[in-house]
Structure formats: structure tokens, C-alpha cells
Amino acid sequence: MSVAATLFETHRPLLDRAVAAIEARDYWSAFPEAPSGRIYGETAKDDGLAAYRARLGQPFALDLPGTRGWIGQERSPYGFDLGITYPDCDLDALLAAAVKAMPAWGAAGPEARAGVVVEIVKRLNARSFEIAYASMYTSGQPFLMAFQAAGPHAQDRALEAIAYAWREMARIPSQVRWEKPQSKGGPLVIEKGFRIVPAGVGVVIGCATFPAWNGYPGLFASLVTGNAVVVKPHPQAILPLAITVEVAREVLRESGFDPNLVTLLADTAERPRTVELVERPEVALVDFTGGPAFGDWLERNLPHAKVFTEKAGVNLAILHSTNDPNGMLRNLATSLCLYSGQMCTTPQNLLVPADGIRTPDGVMPVTAFVAALDDAIRALTADPAGAVELLGTIQSDATLARLEGFAGDPRILIPSRPISHPRYPEARVRTPLLLGATADDPLAGRELFGPVAVLVATDGIDAAIGLAHDLTRRAGAITWVAHSTDDAVVERITDAAAAAGASLAVNLTGPVLVNQSAAYSDYHVNRANPAGNASLTDTAFVAARFRIAQTRRPA
């Protein structure tokens, strides 16, 4: 039995369980999310930190085709240079190697590929602490978020994509005997064969904030369906995906396949290479997470490739009424503070009826809501040591510049405050900013990625629902959160969210946040508005990555 066949038999129970999870859509996780020594080994955290530190100031050795030098300029949002360089590859050589690696991988069949790619995910899980530190110090996330989002949660998203692809491929028989009865004589008998054919080379364009969580679904969906993948990380967050590529190449080589099925194309902000890469005719699949401008460009300008995008937009909160005002405020404040709003699911526009929010103690005026939200944010961030574990740091210069550009703005309702990090004095840590705007203010109609929210006082709840629908259809939104004790209002909001293509969360007052998205259960991005054209994960996300070749011959 081949290595790949053995791996498939080993991992088949896990794969079957993942398929069952996506069909039931209940809670299940293959990988524990607690960074516990009892789970991952008593020395796992220290070993992971040591492995991360050993990378600093060193070339990241990957035996990639076409290596012609070294490149890399990652600077941590915590205030220091990583000093890591990566292979600078000639694109002709890199793509030629990827194309050359594909025939044997495609011919191996779905079972062999599934066994190998699940093994890659398992190996990544074993290195969760190393990847967590790599993600923390490139994305600016606090440690626990980095461990979960780049470790077990990203690995669950990878396995979810593999399960979807495996399920679709397993439905296709390799051979059938086709018999059509005839009125005279024997039946017509045809032997039919069906073969899965990969689409071509895939490209995964990584983002700076969640490189693994957002990058893994496309990477593993393309790989398990028989395609080679070029990973193109964000130039400020190369390390987490470089480790991923290293692990994938190691498993592929051990399994008897060409490691050039997974390669890395690193670049810098001064020397970007994404457009050069995706415009190549060898590229058939592109997975992108990032800003709307470049995502829109990709969707419009690559007729030779299938493009999957997640671009975010103007996520919304509709605040009509609540039985638990303190819980609503605490939950909303936490959503705004979590990772300084640098999540594609964070609420941005808060839509509040101008006559206030209904509570058991009477109507809460808009001014009282703003004051109470300010108090809730201050309570969450009063202790700097605890605040930085919630806020993390501002990842990019552009996000910080956008936030600081509102300094002195007369529309400020809650000012953003700097917080000194207890261990990293140069870390850029800020609390959320809240601005006030009218419904027709352009401010409410554009994405303000980061710790910037906008309050819009509307002329009643119907106006709020209508504005939410219109903004989502025009600018895109992944999530809505709504608070209402009126069942009829909730039904109207539910209908509007479904029509606009946004995921809706209603009356969240406890620890579950609208920002969070669970693998195997939640569909991340609806594909129905400008926030993105692909969902993590559904059948459409995997089915376009392969085609069926058919043969027929008389029996």
C-alpha cells in the first residue's frame, strides 16, 4: 500500500466526521482551541515560541524552484523588525515547476489526495504554537486570538474545505455500465468512465490580519481537487504562510509527490508581484481576502481564472429594543474592541432610531446610548494588561492613518484613546472611535476598516432596516447584528438581511459575538452582495476547482 493510501485509511474516520458535521451544521471541532499543555504537550508553548524566535533575523530556507535571491521586510505591529528573508523566485521557473507537478497529483485520485492533505492539516495542528506566535507578531493579534485563529480554527476551516471537496468528488463514480432497453433486440450497453480533472494552478493571496484563517480554505480546496497552489502572502504577514508551505512540502515529499505542488511567492510593498502572478495564463484559480478595491479589480480583470473573493464592507448593527441593555452594550463594546475592529465581521455602522432604544426601564435616548457604550468600552479597556489582550495592535500603517485622520473631527462621539502596552512600548494600541453621521453621509457608505464605527440616528426602525438593506446592496456587508424584543420587527430585519445577503445575529448579550464564525456550521460570506463572491465554505467554493472528463465505449 502506498504512503498516500495508508494516510487515507488513517484519516478516513476524521474525514467522514467532518462530512457529517457540514451536513448536520451543529457544533464540532477536530482540533482543541485551548492552548493547553495537557492537550498539546507541557512544553508545546515554549517549544513553539523558541521555534518562532529561531526564525528571526534568518533566511527562511525553502528549496523553491527559480530562487534567485532573498526578500522580506516584515515589521511587527508590536514595534520591531522580524528580519526574516524568503526566497525571491523567478516566476517562470516557479509556475513551470507547479505545472509539471500536477499530472501525477491529479492521477493519484481523490482518496490519495485527501489522505495527504488531511495529513498536512494534522501536521499544522502539531505546530499550532509556532504558527500562533508567527501570526501574533505579524498580524498584531493578541496571543489567544492568534493561537485560535491561526491554529485550530484555521485548521478546522481547512478540514471543512477538504470535506466539501471530498464529498463532491466521492459522488462521482469512476466507471459505470450504461444499459438502455430497446423494443427489439438486446439493450444498448455502453461502458462509461468519469475522471476528475484539476482546473489548473491556484493562487492564494494572503491577507495581513488573518493569513491562515482566510488562506487555508482556498489552499486546501484547490490542493485536494488536484491543483498546484502558489501561496502569495501579504508582504507584512509572510511567516505564518511560509511555515504552512514548509509543512505542506514536507508531507508531499514524504508521500511520494512533487513538493512543488505548493510553493511560496514572497514580495514587498515596494516590489509587489500579485498582479504579475495572477495575470499569468497558467493560473486558473485565485483566492483573495482583502480590500474591496483590489478584490473588485480581480473579479473584473481575470477572464482566464475563477476568482473567489472576500472583501468585507459596512457591517451593521440595528438597535431597536432590548430586555438586557447592559448585556447588549457589553456584547457590542466587545465586538468593537476585539482585535481593534480589524475583522471582516466587526460591526461598523450602528443604526439607532432617533427616538431612542426601548428597554425595561424606558426609552434610552441616543445620547444616553452613546454615553453607556463609552462606559462599556472604558470598562473593557481600563486595565492596560487586559486591554491589550482584547485590542491587540493596529496591523497596518493605513489603518492607523485612517483612524488618526479623524482627530479633531466634529462628528466624534466617542474618541479613540491610545493604550500603552506593558511589554511592547512601540506597539500601536487604540480603543475604538465612534463618529456620528446622517443616513446620506458618505461616511456611512464606505468601509472604514479598523477601530472606527459610525452611529446613524434614523427616522424610526423601518428607516433603519431600509438603510441597512440599501447600504449592504450598495457597499456590501458580511454581518448584521440586531437587537429587538418585537417579533414582528425581528421578522422584518430577518427578511431584509436575507434579501441583502448578510448573515444576521439577533439579541446577542452573552459571550457569543457577531464577529465570530464557526467552521462546519456558519457560512462565512453569503455571495449575495459586494462583500464577496465566495462563501467559506459551500459547494460552489469547491466545485469550480475541478471538471469531469468522460469517456464512452461500447461494452
Side-chain angles (χ1 to χ4, degrees):
M1 185 179 290
S2 69
V3 173
T6 301
L7 288 173
F8 178 74
E9 292 303 318
T10 299
H11 298 313
R12 179 66 186 265
L14 181 62
L15 191 56
D16 288 344
R17 183 63 185 88
V19 170
I22 63 176
E23 292 175 349
R25 309 218 70 84
D26 55 2
Y27 171 75
W28 179 70
S29 175
F31 307 105
E33 67 178 4
S36 169
R38 292 191 301 273
I39 298 170
Y40 288 95
E42 293 301 329
T43 66
K45 185 174 183 179
D46 291 340
D47 293 345
L49 180 58
Y52 154 74
R53 286 175 172 167
R55 303 281 192 186
L56 301 178
Q58 303 292 326
F60 192 109
L62 283 173
D63 184 21
L64 294 176
T67 298
R68 60 193 183 186
W70 298 90
I71 194 169
Q73 295 179 350
E74 289 164 295
R75 180 169 176 81
S76 174
Y78 284 92
F80 57 90
D81 293 326
L82 272 64
I84 306 172
T85 55
Y86 304 88
D88 181 17
C89 295
D90 175 77
L91 193 53
D92 288 338
L94 198 73
L95 287 174
V99 171
K100 182 180 178 182
M102 283 184 57
W105 182 240
E111 290 188 0
R113 294 195 299 268
V116 172
V117 296
V118 174
E119 176 65 16
I120 294 171
V121 178
K122 293 281 286 185
R123 299 269 188 101
L124 290 169
N125 179 251
R127 294 174 68 172
S128 290
F129 282 98
E130 178 187 358
I131 296 172
Y133 283 112
S135 297
M136 173 181 176
Y137 289 115
T138 54
S139 71
Q141 295 170 8
F143 173 76
L144 181 59
M145 171 179 276
F147 178 84
Q148 293 180 338
H153 292 177
Q155 294 147 15
D156 272 331
R157 279 295 186 193
L159 183 58
E160 176 188 41
I162 295 166
Y164 266 99
W166 162 251
R167 185 181 66 169
E168 294 310 304
M169 292 187 292
R171 288 174 173 175
I172 302 162
S174 59
Q175 196 143 358
V176 299
R177 183 181 177 89
W178 184 85
E179 296 188 17
K180 180 179 180 181
Q182 301 296 298
S183 58
K184 295 181 180 180
L188 295 177
V189 183
I190 302 291
E191 296 288 348
K192 298 186 179 184
F194 304 97
R195 182 188 304 176
I196 291 170
V197 180
V201 176
V203 170
V204 172
I205 303 171
C207 66
T209 48
F210 290 91
W213 196 95
N214 284 108
Y216 281 9
L219 167 59
F220 285 96
S222 287
L223 192 60
V224 76
T225 50
N227 306 282
V229 181
V230 179
V231 177
K232 214 308 292 179
H234 188 283
Q236 288 299 318
I238 301 172
L239 183 56
L241 291 179
I243 296 170
T244 301
V245 170
E246 179 182 62
V247 172
R249 290 173 64 83
E250 173 186 275
V251 174
L252 287 163
R253 185 181 290 109
E254 291 175 5
S255 304
F257 295 102
D258 191 332
N260 292 322
L261 287 162
V262 180
T263 54
L264 182 82
L265 186 70
D267 64 0
T268 64
E270 292 74 23
R271 292 176 53 201
R273 304 190 68 186
T274 306
V275 172
E276 173 192 5
L277 172 60
V278 298
E279 287 185 334
R280 291 289 295 248
E282 299 95 328
V283 172
L285 304 162
V286 175
D287 288 273
F288 168 78
T289 301
F294 191 57
D296 291 345
W297 184 91
L298 290 169
E299 290 174 357
R300 292 193 306 265
N301 291 284
L302 301 180
H304 62 288
K306 175 65 177 178
V307 177
F308 305 86
T309 63
E310 182 210 309
K311 301 173 289 184
V314 290
N315 300 317
L316 297 147
I318 302 174
L319 310 176
H320 170 254
S321 53
T322 179
N323 285 328
D324 182 5
N326 290 332
M328 178 191 74
L329 287 159
R330 182 174 57 250
N331 184 279
L332 181 59
T334 305
S335 288
L336 295 175
C337 288
L338 186 64
Y339 187 31
S340 299
Q342 297 170 113
M343 303 176 71
C344 57
T345 48
T346 300
Q348 176 180 303
N349 289 355
L350 315 183
L351 309 184
V352 182
D355 58 359
I357 300 168
R358 301 176 200 171
T359 78
D361 299 321
V363 174
M364 178 188 295
V366 174
T367 53
F369 165 75
V370 171
L373 182 61
D374 189 14
D375 288 343
I377 292 171
R378 288 179 181 275
L380 289 169
T381 59
D383 172 27
V388 299
E389 297 304 322
L390 176 65
L391 295 166
T393 67
I394 305 296
Q395 199 284 326
S396 76
D397 294 339
T399 301
L400 184 62
R402 183 184 307 112
L403 174 65
E404 293 180 341
F406 288 109
D409 193 301
R411 295 171 293 185
I412 291 177
L413 300 176
I414 299 176
S416 175
R417 296 176 290 110
I419 290 180
S420 296
H421 198 292
R423 290 178 292 139
Y424 299 99
E426 294 187 45
R428 40 202 193 191
V429 185
R430 304 289 189 277
T431 63
L433 171 73
L434 180 66
L435 303 165
T438 59
D440 58 356
D441 190 328
L443 189 68
R446 63 186 177 94
E447 182 186 26
L448 301 168
F449 187 75
V452 180
V454 179
L455 185 143
V456 179
T458 65
D459 186 17
I461 187 60
D462 289 336
I465 297 171
L467 178 61
H469 177 274
D470 292 346
L471 285 173
T472 300
R473 298 302 300 169
R474 185 168 69 249
I478 294 176
T479 60
W480 289 11
V481 61
H483 285 269
S484 180
T485 59
D486 186 322
D487 289 343
V489 170
V490 171
E491 184 175 354
R492 294 206 303 276
I493 295 173
T494 302
D495 290 343
S503 171
L504 174 65
V506 180
N507 294 335
L508 297 182
T509 57
V512 176
L513 305 176
V514 67
N515 315 51
Q516 299 163 328
S517 179
Y520 314 107
S521 185
D522 293 324
Y523 292 103
H524 179 71
V525 185
N526 192 276
R527 299 190 289 120
N529 66 59
N533 71 2
S535 181
L536 307 179
T537 305
D538 62 5
T539 302
F541 186 72
V542 301
R545 299 173 195 265
F546 65 90
R547 59 183 176 83
I548 310 301
Q550 175 178 296
T551 59
R552 297 180 291 180
R553 64 185 67 188

